[in-house]
Amino acid sequence: MSHADFTPFQVEQFLSELEHGVVFNFSESGVHPMSLQGLVDLAGIDTAVLMQTMLDYPQVNGKQSLRDTIAGFYPGATADAVMITVGATEANTLVTNTLLRPGDNVVCFRPTYAQISGNAQNRGNEVRWVNLIESNGWALDQDALNNAVDDKTRIIHVVNPNNPTGQVISDQDRAAIIAAAARAGAWIVTDEVYAGTEREGDAETPSFWGSYDKVLIVNSMSKAYGLPGLRLGWLVGPEDIITQSWRRHEYASIATSMLSMELADIALAEPTRSKLKARARQLIRTGFDVLTEELDRHPGVYDVVPPQASAMSFVRFDLPVSSEDLAARLLQEKDILVIPGSRFGVEGHLRFSSALPEDHLRKGLALLNEVTADILARS
Ligand SMILES: Cc1ncc(COP(=O)(O)O)c(C=O)c1O
């Protein structure tokens, strides 16, 4: 493959080039992160014990007790079905590289977090896009799914709850995905990093684990637990695939850090795990209410299918400007960062994150409303 064929990770490139130093960062996908002190207080950590952590190479596939705990989240799984990775990001890359062979295709939904698709394209594999339908609550176009999947389909990639829409896959769409995968003998790779961030109730989004034999689950500490700086994720699946991914993990990173494994082990133990998820949900619920209240100040301009989960809202706007130009204007004039819908392949939208301290959120949204008023006055 020549250099020119390389597909950058559009969303992450946008964030990594722009997010540092911005005043109103409404582009994050998780909740406002916790400090180490916050975690120490919440979990009642004995810092003297924590200070004894050896800054050594950890067990490469992940600390045993951490893998035991995570295996407990997936009925029937043992610690050997779990590998600890550097965030969900590494898990996504390992799983793509482990599963894909030349000539395989990958089926992805649009809009979504386009990491597996980008990895697949960069390996020279075909990516087939299936649209999610906004007017139908971002439900799946099942006919398009059935047309896209064939006997060369190796992976159907599911992000549930989804980024950027925050929607949870319905039972009917879930059944259609499983039926399509079974027909083709494809793997379902499910990124479940937003499970636990439900906005409307406390019932957690059910995992795809156990619903089909060829399922691989990706998850991490970054979203529902508010600890993205740990850079710790996991991959769960059949042991042979986990072992093959482990061989790739040795090339990619060797392991995440010892300290991250210690802290994740503490964070995932009850009652800390439930407390962290409760914190995330509280931030998400308040933040969404503030967001919609502020966006409603210009009736008919902004509209959103309310996200069922996650800190994100994929907001449609009716303004005579492209999503890239609107995002650029907000950044230049008001120091507000939001992600243009074009980065997800969907024009006329902005992705907002609103699980932030309320005062800060309101200040930034008031500035956004000034830009909105100016565009409306000139059009
Ligand atoms: C769906 C999805 N998967 C994975 C990631 C990356 O997660 P991590 O911080 O665990 O690498 C993100 C981050 O935005 C995401 O939205």
Side-chain angles (χ1 to χ4, degrees):
M1 184 192 300
S2 77
H3 235 51
D5 294 330
F6 177 73
T7 302
F9 194 170
Q10 297 237 14
V11 165
E12 292 299 339
Q13 181 183 353
F14 182 87
L15 290 173
S16 65
E17 288 177 351
L18 299 175
E19 75 182 335
H20 283 284
V22 76
V23 176
F24 296 101
N25 188 359
F26 298 164
S27 69
E28 290 177 12
S29 48
V31 297
H32 192 57
M34 287 203 93
S35 66
L36 178 55
Q37 185 67 57
L39 180 61
V40 164
D41 294 345
L42 188 102
I45 298 174
D46 181 344
T47 48
V49 174
L50 191 66
M51 293 303 266
Q52 299 307 312
T53 307
M54 289 303 296
L55 298 179
D56 193 1
Y57 285 110
Q59 188 172 337
V60 166
N61 61 332
K63 192 173 178 250
Q64 181 72 39
S65 55
L66 179 59
R67 287 186 297 115
D68 284 337
T69 300
I70 292 171
F73 305 155
Y74 304 95
T78 65
D80 291 338
V82 179
M83 186 170 65
I84 306 301
T85 55
V86 181
T89 302
E90 192 201 357
N92 277 333
T93 294
L94 297 182
V95 84
T96 320
N97 291 344
T98 299
L99 291 179
L100 287 186
R101 307 155 303 192
D104 288 338
N105 69 59
V106 175
V107 171
C108 299
F109 304 126
R110 179 159 53 205
T112 201
Y113 189 67
Q115 190 190 354
I116 290 211
S117 54
N119 279 333
Q121 273 167 308
N122 287 332
R123 293 178 56 89
N125 290 92
E126 183 193 354
V127 175
R128 298 181 176 178
W129 293 101
V130 172
N131 287 335
L132 302 172
I133 316 286
E134 185 173 19
S135 57
N136 195 14
W138 295 112
L140 188 58
D141 181 341
Q142 291 189 13
D143 289 339
L145 172 70
N146 290 327
N147 287 334
V149 174
D150 65 16
D151 60 0
K152 291 280 184 204
T153 302
R154 181 72 165 163
I155 298 176
I156 301 179
H157 180 220
V158 178
V159 178
N160 190 40
N162 192 24
N163 172 0
T165 62
Q167 296 311 310
V168 174
I169 286 174
S170 67
D171 291 348
Q172 296 89 317
D173 283 354
R174 177 187 283 255
I177 292 167
I178 293 168
R183 217 170 35 244
W187 288 86
I188 300 178
V189 175
T190 313
D191 183 329
E192 300 181 348
V193 293
Y194 296 103
T197 66
E198 293 72 22
R199 198 177 56 80
E200 285 169 324
D202 289 342
E204 189 155 328
T205 304
S207 175
F208 267 70
W209 180 257
S211 55
Y212 170 62
D213 55 344
K214 295 172 88 174
V215 165
L216 286 146
I217 306 292
V218 171
N219 209 326
S220 93
M221 299 304 296
S222 294
K223 314 296 181 187
Y225 304 104
L227 299 167
L230 292 186
R231 306 307 306 125
L232 189 139
W234 56 90
L235 179 64
V236 187
E239 282 174 32
D240 56 333
I241 302 292
I242 296 299
T243 305
Q244 290 173 51
S245 297
W246 181 356
R247 297 290 79 84
R248 286 160 174 86
H249 177 60
E250 287 147 359
Y251 269 117
S253 66
I254 301 183
T256 193
S257 80
M258 194 76 148
L259 198 52
S260 292
M261 292 206 201
E262 288 297 328
L263 291 169
D265 217 0
I266 291 167
L268 291 179
E270 290 296 0
T272 306
R273 181 177 183 229
S274 295
K275 286 186 191 170
L276 286 170
K277 285 197 285 193
R279 170 187 177 269
R281 285 175 171 162
Q282 195 271 326
L283 279 165
I284 284 166
R285 290 168 191 181
T286 317
F288 181 73
D289 291 346
V290 172
L291 177 72
T292 44
E293 194 185 310
E294 294 295 331
L295 293 182
D296 280 350
R297 292 190 196 279
H298 289 287
V301 173
Y302 296 104
D303 193 19
V304 62
V305 179
Q308 291 166 297
S310 92
M312 298 169 295
S313 296
F314 201 49
V315 176
R316 188 152 51 89
F317 61 83
D318 184 9
L319 291 168
V321 58
S322 71
S323 60
E324 288 281 337
D325 287 350
L326 183 52
R329 225 185 126 172
L330 290 169
L331 183 61
Q332 277 152 21
E333 294 176 23
K334 305 292 184 190
D335 227 337
I336 297 172
L337 191 67
V338 289
I339 307 186
S342 57
R343 301 281 165 147
F344 294 93
V346 181
E347 240 327 317
H349 290 71
L350 295 174
R351 192 191 81 178
F352 280 84
S353 174
S354 52
L356 298 166
E358 186 172 338
D359 271 6
H360 182 69
L361 183 61
R362 281 202 193 272
K363 264 189 212 144
L365 290 170
L367 294 171
L368 169 118
N369 276 330
E370 288 178 14
V371 173
T372 310
D374 187 61
I375 296 173
L376 289 172
R378 286 164 199 267
S379 62

